[in-house]
Amino acid sequence: MKKTVMKMVLAGMVALACVSALSAKPKKTEIDKIKKAGVLKVGCKEDVPGYGYLNPATGKHEGLEIEIAKAVSKKILGKESVKFTGVTAKTRGPLVDTGEIDMVAATFTVTDERRKLWDFSEIYMQDPVAIMVKKSSGIASFKDLDGKTIGVSQAATSQKIFEAAAKEAGITIKFNSYASYPEIKTALDSGRVDAFGVDSSILAGYMEDSVALLPERYAPQQYGIAVKKGNAALLAIINETISEMEKSGEMAKIKAKFNLDK
């Protein structure tokens, strides 16, 4: 009887040891998954010259955020290996949540509300919000927009900023929202909106002789790269990459290349 009990105790100990060994096996991190895939999946803008732009002449993505993404992939994989997916202000969050992309580098303004949903990198760019109008409109200041319509991007922070500014100025403005910046510019050109409102450096990519920027600037927007909530391993590498690019002067050179240092 004692032998039987002893055998049962030993068997239990062996089973417990096996379970412990299995539970001690390290879990695969997001970095491991990226390495296994051999590619970093990045959500980027394709309609924002200087930041994320799909050049129709070359068929390639270019801009500051494209270069940051390439540097992150090189740090993880030892080479530049990135699969870019075009995103908008409305689609970028859901795509990183579902795992279709690993990170979002897409003029993503960091706010306290958004930090509750995603984890953000160090700030790599700061840019105030501005307003573009047609020169022929006669609109010379923000107050001249009383009763008029501003075109804004869907799910962006711009509308709230302009609403607050309008309240302070004592005027009433209306909004039409669009999925992409080219759509807003087209709406401005055709007269469907009276103004195009977004970050000033984004507007710079749509400047031409027929339009002008109003003198007012509002609420500097801080851009960060977003990852899925809790993805600390990838976030650490992104922050390390940004820090190294800043210290080496590479970030400044890239900003100058794309006219983002004005």
Side-chain angles (χ1 to χ4, degrees):
M1 183 69 176
K2 288 183 179 180
K3 289 184 179 181
T4 302
V5 172
M6 184 60 70
K7 287 181 180 179
M8 292 175 65
V9 171
L10 289 173
M13 291 174 66
V14 170
L16 183 60
C18 291
V19 171
S20 297
L22 288 172
S23 62
K25 187 178 180 180
K27 294 180 179 179
K28 283 191 175 182
T29 67
E30 294 302 318
I31 301 302
D32 294 325
K33 293 177 183 178
I34 293 169
K35 287 181 177 179
K36 184 176 181 181
V39 64
L40 177 68
K41 297 177 290 183
V42 178
C44 67
K45 291 290 183 69
E46 296 186 328
D47 57 359
V48 185
Y51 288 96
Y53 181 65
L54 182 57
N55 191 324
T58 63
K60 295 182 179 180
H61 292 85
E62 57 187 40
L64 170 64
E65 293 168 333
I66 303 304
E67 294 304 316
I68 294 174
K70 288 178 179 179
V72 173
S73 75
K74 192 172 182 179
K75 182 168 282 293
I76 296 173
L77 300 167
K79 61 181 180 179
E80 289 183 5
S81 180
V82 187
K83 178 184 178 182
F84 290 108
T85 298
V87 299
T88 66
K90 191 174 183 178
T91 64
R92 58 194 174 188
L95 285 174
V96 79
D97 285 339
T98 59
E100 292 180 59
I101 54 179
D102 301 308
M103 62 182 241
V104 178
T107 59
F108 211 160
T109 301
V110 182
T111 65
D112 290 339
E113 185 178 353
R114 285 174 173 172
R115 285 187 185 279
K116 296 175 183 177
L117 302 174
W118 305 285
D119 287 333
F120 284 90
S121 72
E122 295 177 5
I123 304 303
Y124 56 87
M125 188 69 181
Q126 183 166 290
D127 192 31
V129 171
I131 298 173
M132 175 186 285
V133 296
K134 294 172 72 173
K135 290 179 179 178
S136 61
S137 68
I139 299 171
S141 69
F142 185 73
K143 284 193 173 183
D144 293 336
L145 288 169
D146 190 19
K148 300 189 182 300
T149 302
I150 301 178
V152 295
S153 178
Q154 293 174 352
T157 56
S158 307
Q159 182 170 333
K160 289 183 180 180
I161 292 168
F162 294 133
E163 286 173 341
K167 185 177 181 180
E168 184 176 342
I171 64 174
T172 300
I173 52 178
K174 295 174 285 187
F175 298 93
N176 284 350
S177 59
Y178 299 86
S180 69
Y181 299 127
E183 289 180 76
I184 307 176
K185 181 59 167 59
T186 299
L188 176 64
D189 292 339
S190 65
R192 284 181 284 128
V193 297
D194 302 292
F196 177 178
V198 73
D199 309 351
S200 61
S201 61
I202 294 176
L203 288 175
Y206 292 89
M207 289 298 296
E208 55 185 2
D209 291 339
S210 65
V211 298
L213 297 185
L214 297 184
E216 294 89 351
R217 297 291 183 274
Y218 301 96
Q221 305 294 287
Q222 295 184 318
Y223 296 158
I225 292 175
V227 300
K228 191 173 184 178
K229 198 71 178 171
N231 191 352
L234 178 55
L235 189 65
I237 290 179
I238 293 170
N239 281 332
E240 186 179 346
T241 302
I242 292 173
S243 180
E244 289 176 355
M245 293 176 75
E246 293 281 8
K247 290 178 181 177
S248 69
E250 184 182 0
M251 189 75 79
K253 289 180 181 179
I254 296 171
K255 288 179 180 179
K257 176 183 177 181
F258 294 106
N259 298 312
L260 300 176
D261 57 342
K262 308 302 181 185

